[in-house]
Amino acid sequence: MKTQKVVTLTQFISEQQTLYPDASGDLTRIFMDIILAAKIVNRDVRKAGLVDILGTHGTTNIQGEDVKKLDVMANEEFMSALSLGGDCCAILSEENDDIVRVHNPNNSKPKYIVAMDPLDGSSNIDVNASIGTIFSIFRRRSMAWNEVTMEDCLQKGINQIAAGYIIYGSSTMLVYTTGQGVNGFTLDSSIGEFCLSHPDIKIPKDGNIFSVNEGNFAEFPQGVKDFVTYCKETDKETGRPYSARYIGSLIADFHRNLLKGGIFIYPHTAKAPNGKLRLMYECNPMAFIIEQAGGKATTGSKRILEVTPEQLHQRVPFFVGSENMVNKAEALYKAKIQIGMSN
Ligand code: AHG
Ligand code: MN
Ligand code: MN
């Protein structure tokens, strides 16, 4: 029988750190905090179906404890793991209005800022479909002994040091990059460890899946309508029609397309003039990962990683996936913009 050495996420991260002898270890410790919170949230997610038995949100369960919504709980778990860890100087969360500054008397100079969407796909919690957590890490710009400023936080995605996500699906996986490719780790709950299961993930240049909320079709920009129509046309040479797959959790749609090849689009619409997805918590981290896996992420006309954020909760249109598919969608989108048919 052929056996393979199991590499745990902890071993993998420690080995990576030895490549940088001058590293302070802060980034490694931030990862450890994220991993710990992910395991706790994973445990809570796996109990989500029992909420009706144990008590619903806003009530008390049979143990007399307050029951919180899973997205609120996930936010609290990540916030507390990262602030107690004290190795980042600030946390930005989709669930918090403002910057949360971290003060740690034992580490007066933490230089990293963590941005996150603690629970992505929250509408899928109650229906037992995949949900996840997204995170992005970057370095502050100002001197470490001063208070973190808004300018420190509003940085382009290109400045990310690391980004990743945890998907709570049929199994629980953590996928991340530090700018040297993308690796995926599956949680073996019997030993409580994430184990390297998907080394050096590369997205196929072409795919045959398109993921878009077609319920909004009437409101799509004309170029996106053209692309959706293109995906549904029959053409043997390019393997069309493509398959439509859309679950409504960015992470789940993204993860499938990353492994199989495909495109995800959330364009701007009349109702959502900047799209729906958040630049700092959703698009930047996914864009970093997809580029590291050989794919592409744009707003339809601009590379996501080069968009300068103006607000923490800023939204952007999002085209992400296999390079050739994104190029095609972008070409159709831009063609209609150029002749003034943006909607
Ligand atoms: P969140 O649960 O963090 O608010 O994010 C939901 C997002 C994203 O995960 C998904 O791709 C998108 O909303 C789905 O939006 P529609 O329901 O409008 O298709
Ligand atoms: Mn989200
Ligand atoms: Mn969310």
Side-chain angles (χ1 to χ4, degrees), residues 94 117 120 282:
E94 190 196 66
D117 178 355
D120 175 67
E282 292 168 321

Side-chain angles (χ1 to χ4, degrees), residues 148-194:
V148 178
T149 62
M150 189 56 91
E151 288 67 45
D152 286 325
C153 299
L154 296 178
Q155 295 193 46
K156 289 182 185 178
I158 202 151
N159 293 340
Q160 289 171 105
I161 302 293
Y165 61 86
I166 298 111
I167 177 166
Y168 313 101
S170 47
S171 63
T172 298
M173 261 188 89
L174 187 146
V175 175
Y176 86 101
T177 184
T178 51
Q180 283 155 326
V182 180
N183 291 288
F185 299 80
T186 302
L187 181 63
D188 180 339
S189 43
S190 65
I191 56 168
E193 291 276 7
F194 284 96

Side-chain angles (χ1 to χ4, degrees), residues 48-88:
L50 297 170
V51 139
D52 285 344
I53 305 171
L54 303 175
T56 51
H57 173 52
T59 68
T60 45
N61 65 21
I62 47 173
Q63 282 98 35
E65 300 155 339
D66 275 346
V67 179
K68 289 177 188 154
K69 267 182 88 174
L70 210 48
D71 41 6
V72 176
M73 235 150 65
N75 190 43
E76 287 177 3
E77 293 301 352
F78 280 96
M79 295 296 299
S80 99
L82 287 165
S83 16
L84 291 173
D87 291 295
C88 58

